[in-house]
Amino acid sequence: MTEEQKQPTTKDACLALFAKMNDFNVKCVNIVYIPETGDLILNHTAGMLRHEIVGLMEAVRDETKK
């Protein structure tokens, strides 16, 4: 297989999926860890304000404490 025909990585697939999320009327923060490579991806949908990102992350934290 040549360099031009290289298969997309898991990280590439995740980033492509995140880009598609911007097509929907949703706001989300994505935290993804890929064990096989050790990659940590932090991502959010376009146009989110800082307080919205922090609020969603705090909601996740609070939900996991239950």
Side-chain angles (χ1 to χ4, degrees), residues 20-37:
K20 290 182 182 185
M21 293 297 290
N22 289 313
D23 295 340
F24 300 100
N25 186 23
V26 298
K27 293 183 179 184
C28 62
V29 174
N30 308 293
I31 304 169
V32 177
Y33 173 67
I34 304 171
E36 61 197 31
T37 61

Side-chain angles (χ1 to χ4, degrees), residues 10-22:
T10 301
K11 182 176 181 177
D12 293 337
C14 288
L15 293 174
L17 179 62
F18 298 154
K20 290 182 182 185
M21 293 297 290
N22 289 313

Side-chain angles (χ1 to χ4, degrees), residues 39-53:
D39 286 328
L40 178 65
I41 304 171
L42 303 174
N43 179 280
H44 60 83
T45 48
M48 287 186 71
L49 302 174
R50 182 177 178 84
H51 73 275
E52 293 174 322
I53 296 167

